[in-house]
Amino acid sequence: MGRVPGFASIALSFTPWIVYWSVTPFIGAPAIWASLAITALVLTLNRLILGEAAFMDAFTAAFMAAASIGVAAGVEVFIWGRGFIGYSALAVMALTSLALRRPYTLQVSKLDYPDVYWSQPAFIKTNEVITWAWVCVYAVAAVTSVVLAPPASSLAPLAFIGLGLWLSTWIPKTYPLREVVREFPRYGYWRAGVGGGRGEGYDVGVVGSGVG
């Protein structure tokens, strides 16, 4: 399979959730069953793209299976509480991946960078930051799905998901550079004394791998 950008993979992972949140109000339980079927397809496609099962997709499959069984048994909270339950579940998923020290965005990020970077602390730390951003997005989406009145209670959380997708592309472009700038003053500037202790000296700064 040709190269697939990480953004496309994570957007694919949201497909069953979008169906769950958007279609369930109109047709109820069949939308949840359809979401489960879509999840199976997404799980397969992302496995081909990533070379392994995506953590988010596996979690989604477990959630949709539980929701399908629940509505079949008459537990309708998965229908009328779909917003709060769904976004809260995704927040738990993201927190779980952080607790396991394997931020779930790490798998997707590998699609955009050579494997030489995958084990680098900066690469892993960046994905931890991205995953924490998603935790915040899911938490805010869960709250807004409850406190806002329709249709804002459905539309506002989806807007936050869009914000999360944007952050997933913006953070890798800015966070690593900010860390380098923050660390550089610790070792990037010295004053070298000369002249036998008479207080004279030269300013010495590191430029690349040389001295200037």
Side-chain angles (χ1 to χ4, degrees), residues 17 34 36 44 54 115-117 129 146 163:
W17 290 100
L36 178 60
T44 301
D115 56 6
V116 68
Y117 295 114
V129 172
V146 174
L163 173 63

Side-chain angles (χ1 to χ4, degrees), residues 106 117-130 171-172 175-177 179-180:
L106 189 63
Y117 295 114
W118 296 355
S119 61
Q120 295 298 315
F123 185 72
I124 297 172
K125 180 63 177 179
T126 299
N127 277 278
E128 289 177 351
V129 172
I130 297 172
I171 291 175
Y175 177 78
L177 178 59
E179 286 298 290
V180 169

Side-chain angles (χ1 to χ4, degrees), residues 10 27 60-61 68 85 97 124 136 146-147 154 159 171 192 202 208-209:
I10 197 168
I27 62 176
T60 302
S68 297
I85 291 176
S97 73
I124 297 172
C136 295
V146 174
V147 300
S154 296
I171 291 175
Y202 295 105
S209 59

